[in-house]
Amino acid sequence: LARGAMEQRAFLSRSMAICFLVALTPAVSAASSILTFGDLNIVVVTDVHSWVSGHRHNPNLNADYGDLYSFYEHVKSQALALGKDIFLVNNGDIVDGTGLSDPYGAMLTPLIENLPFDLINTGNHELYNDESIGNIVNNGFKAHFGNAYVTTNVADSRTGQTLGANYTVLNGTSSGRSYVAFGFLYNMPATGSGKHCDDVIVRTVEHTVNTTWFQQALGLAPMAIVNAHMGYDNQLVHVILGKIRQVMGPTYPVVFLTGHTHIRQYKQLDSYAVSFEAGHYFDTIGFVGIDLNSFSQPPVFRKVDVNANVQAMVHAVGLTNQANLNTTTGDYIKTEIVRVRNAMNLDQTLGCNPYPEKLSRHHSQLFDIMLNQVWPYGLKVDVDTYYGVFSRGGLRYDLYPGDVNLDDIVTLTPFHNEFFVANNVPGMMLINIKSQHGFHWHYATSDQALNGNLHYTLFMDGYDRAELMSRLTSQGYSGSASRYDTTLDTTTIWSEFVKAQWSCDQPSSSQDGR
């Protein structure tokens, strides 16, 4: 998910379907949670953001990637026994979320390589840093997945060649049927906030669908699978479908596997096409079964969202207990995850949260603590002239009561962005910017009252710099934002603060964070 105006953080689970849509939870009965297989079946995860080891603060989401492997092996075995085709898909945004993603996914990608993904895309988060995409390209990830790594409109800027494959053809083991598959990313900008790194080119969707090779590829199979890292109803989904309809006609089946907006959602686009999105942070395992009806009439799509909960997964495949779900390779992956976590010291306790309630990223308190306590402490600022601004998408998770470990900190703020400072900013300019429409929806600020007659030292991170400086320039500010002289970044500043200020011996606090 991009930080910016289009960010949606709410997790939605809505009941809607062509045939049915149900979220499987531990409370449902096994009889109601058996998957219904179609001629084609797809298991998909999206926007996992390195949450491959589960959620230690949420027992309802206790599955890890070892469990996902075992789950898929059971689902695949059942599908093949029925003579049905099945594929495992990853929609991208594999990095930026937990401590396992540091540094730049180097320890994470070998864990992901244990999963037999038939189709894997790139999300925007793999493309923010040259180092992140360099790890994918140069350290074995791309080579491991080969033609399954499909980046239809993302290219290597040094060669001009598509980063992964332009497309791939998936061949059904049972039916012998072919499915042409693509991997699109939304039109990620090359400049400004949310821009991609220099080592890649993101070609527009509009340009890509008008290329000869794209249109010819559609004719390689009687159906298309579009792995699209964009919202389920994004305008670009309709651009892609519109071109497919123009080239292949109205009865060519298409399934869009979407993501980026971190929700569960499903939509029938027309009689022969659907789009669905399967959550985020490994809270969801999406499943869709498709009856193709010999391509003689509209297909029937059946979608199920399985919560990433071991008992829900057991129910979904019709088993009786977790022991029956486990597989040898799944158990190996679980062991590897623990080994890597230990090697990275992710469970090292840094301090204890003094607040008795969960600090939510959706409320102001956590931002108040950051901007009024964490930043002033770490940056050693003059509190009389300091003013901090931070985009609300920069905090990605919550802080829970009790011990705070290294993984909690990276999960809260994973981006390691550098700090920038603009000096002598007139208070009246900041007052005017704060009053602009939508500013408080996008940004959190320090809580002190601004004085229009004073000048302030404005602190921001590298992600927000371009947008904030553009706003200041429009107010007549002629200065610039320079890199602040500190060894800390937006992640490590929290670690240092917790170690120094949140001792596990101190009593709980009832402060409001200001």
Side-chain angles (χ1 to χ4, degrees):
L1 179 65
R3 290 168 57 187
M6 298 305 295
E7 181 163 21
Q8 300 181 48
R9 301 174 188 83
F11 177 67
L12 305 178
S13 179
R14 301 178 180 176
S15 296
M16 56 187 301
I18 297 174
C19 281
F20 67 81
L21 170 61
V22 59
L24 300 184
T25 68
V28 298
S29 67
S32 67
S33 49
I34 300 299
L35 304 175
T36 302
F37 293 95
D39 299 310
L40 168 64
N41 304 277
I42 300 171
V43 175
V44 61
V45 293
T46 186
D47 296 88
V48 174
H49 286 290
S50 74
W51 285 83
V52 301
S53 64
H55 295 241
R56 86 174 182 109
H57 294 294
N58 187 346
N60 289 323
L61 297 173
N62 60 357
D64 60 24
Y65 256 30
D67 298 309
L68 174 61
Y69 180 95
S70 296
F71 172 81
Y72 180 68
E73 283 299 294
H74 286 284
V75 175
K76 181 178 180 180
S77 176
Q78 293 175 2
L80 296 181
L82 294 170
K84 309 297 186 181
D85 296 333
I86 187 164
F87 301 106
L88 180 63
V89 178
N90 189 317
N91 188 244
D93 266 9
I94 62 174
V95 298
D96 289 346
T98 75
L100 284 170
S101 194
D102 281 355
Y104 305 110
M107 303 291 280
L108 171 70
T109 47
L111 294 174
I112 298 174
E113 289 170 20
N114 287 299
L115 276 294
F117 289 112
D118 299 291
L119 180 64
I120 188 167
N121 196 4
T122 183
N124 50 301
H125 280 263
E126 288 88 313
L127 306 184
Y128 283 133
N129 301 287
D130 291 335
E131 294 86 351
S132 292
I133 196 60
N135 171 60
I136 287 174
V137 172
N138 301 321
N139 292 342
F141 186 86
K142 174 185 173 182
H144 173 82
F145 285 107
N147 287 337
Y149 184 57
V150 180
T151 62
T152 301
N153 65 322
V154 179
D156 187 324
S157 63
R158 296 161 296 185
T159 65
Q161 299 299 309
T162 307
L163 196 65
N166 287 338
Y167 59 88
T168 194
V169 176
L170 302 177
N171 296 304
T173 302
S174 294
S175 70
R177 190 182 298 115
S178 296
Y179 310 89
V180 62
F182 302 93
F184 279 94
L185 176 67
Y186 68 89
N187 294 339
M188 190 177 182
T191 60
S193 296
K195 70 181 183 69
H196 60 72
C197 62
D198 294 336
D199 283 355
V200 299
I201 300 168
V202 178
R203 300 188 173 109
T204 67
V205 171
E206 293 87 347
H207 164 81
T208 304
V209 298
N210 281 297
T211 59
T212 300
W213 65 260
F214 173 78
Q215 296 178 27
Q216 290 177 341
L218 291 169
L220 297 176
M223 177 180 176
I225 299 170
V226 182
N227 200 21
H229 195 81
M230 58 190 70
Y232 78 101
D233 198 26
N234 189 286
Q235 177 188 358
L236 296 174
V237 169
H238 297 276
V239 169
I240 299 168
L241 180 60
K243 180 56 63 173
I244 292 175
R245 288 284 167 261
Q246 180 183 334
V247 174
M248 302 301 295
T251 61
Y252 184 81
V254 185
V255 57
F256 285 85
L257 311 173
T258 51
H260 186 59
T261 55
H262 289 196
I263 62 175
R264 290 178 179 178
Q265 200 43 286
Y266 184 86
K267 183 174 183 178
Q268 183 172 5
L269 302 173
D270 62 28
S271 296
Y272 284 80
V274 297
S275 174
F276 80 92
E277 191 169 343
H280 72 322
Y281 296 175
F282 194 46
D283 60 9
T284 306
I285 303 166
F287 173 87
V288 62
I290 307 169
D291 291 331
L292 294 171
N293 295 320
S294 302
F295 300 100
S296 62
Q297 54 185 311
V300 176
F301 301 87
R302 299 181 178 90
K303 181 194 182 251
V304 177
D305 285 319
V306 181
N307 290 337
N309 171 281
V310 173
Q311 193 59 40
M313 296 159 76
V314 167
H315 284 316
V317 293
L319 299 174
T320 56
N321 56 59
Q322 182 176 354
N324 292 332
L325 179 72
N326 295 346
T327 63
T328 300
T329 302
D331 287 344
Y332 166 77
I333 295 170
K334 295 168 83 70
T335 301
E336 279 294 285
I337 291 171
V338 171
R339 182 189 65 78
V340 172
R341 288 186 64 87
N342 290 339
M344 299 178 73
N345 292 317
L346 295 183
D347 297 307
Q348 170 194 359
T349 297
L350 304 179
C352 290
N353 182 357
Y355 297 89
E357 303 294 334
K358 180 182 74 173
L359 299 173
S360 172
R361 68 199 184 281
H362 299 309
H363 301 140
S364 63
Q365 186 181 24
L366 195 51
F367 289 94
D368 290 340
I369 292 171
M370 180 182 68
L371 292 171
N372 302 314
Q373 297 181 37
V374 178
W375 282 20
Y377 171 83
L379 300 175
K380 298 177 172 56
V381 299
D382 180 346
V383 295
D384 293 329
T385 60
Y386 157 83
Y387 200 72
V389 178
F390 190 68
S391 66
R392 295 188 182 277
L395 295 184
R396 306 286 285 186
Y397 207 63
D398 309 322
L399 268 182
Y400 285 78
D403 66 290
V404 177
N405 64 27
L406 179 59
D407 197 30
D408 292 326
I409 294 300
V410 182
T411 300
L412 170 70
T413 171
F415 299 115
H416 290 282
N417 289 334
E418 295 177 313
F419 285 101
F420 285 78
V421 60
N423 294 304
N424 297 314
V425 179
M428 187 53 65
M429 287 186 182
L430 292 174
I431 291 172
N432 291 339
I433 289 173
K434 285 185 65 175
S435 67
Q436 291 174 352
H437 177 71
F439 182 87
H440 282 289
W441 193 91
H442 294 293
Y443 296 101
T445 63
S446 306
D447 67 352
Q448 70 263 42
L450 290 166
N451 186 327
N453 297 318
L454 298 180
H455 286 69
Y456 292 86
T457 305
L458 176 62
F459 285 84
M460 68 200 82
D461 76 345
Y463 183 93
D464 295 330
R465 178 179 55 154
E467 174 63 23
L468 290 175
M469 294 309 297
S470 175
R471 289 175 183 257
L472 280 177
T473 300
S474 70
Q475 294 291 316
Y477 181 70
S478 59
S480 60
S482 58
R483 186 174 289 109
Y484 189 65
D485 186 15
T486 179
T487 59
L488 301 178
D489 57 40
T490 53
T491 305
T492 58
I493 196 170
W494 270 96
S495 298
E496 294 305 308
F497 176 82
V498 169
K499 285 190 288 187
Q501 300 293 312
W502 282 5
S503 167
C504 289
D505 297 327
Q506 65 182 326
S508 295
S509 172
S510 60
Q511 302 175 53
D512 65 358
R514 295 180 180 271

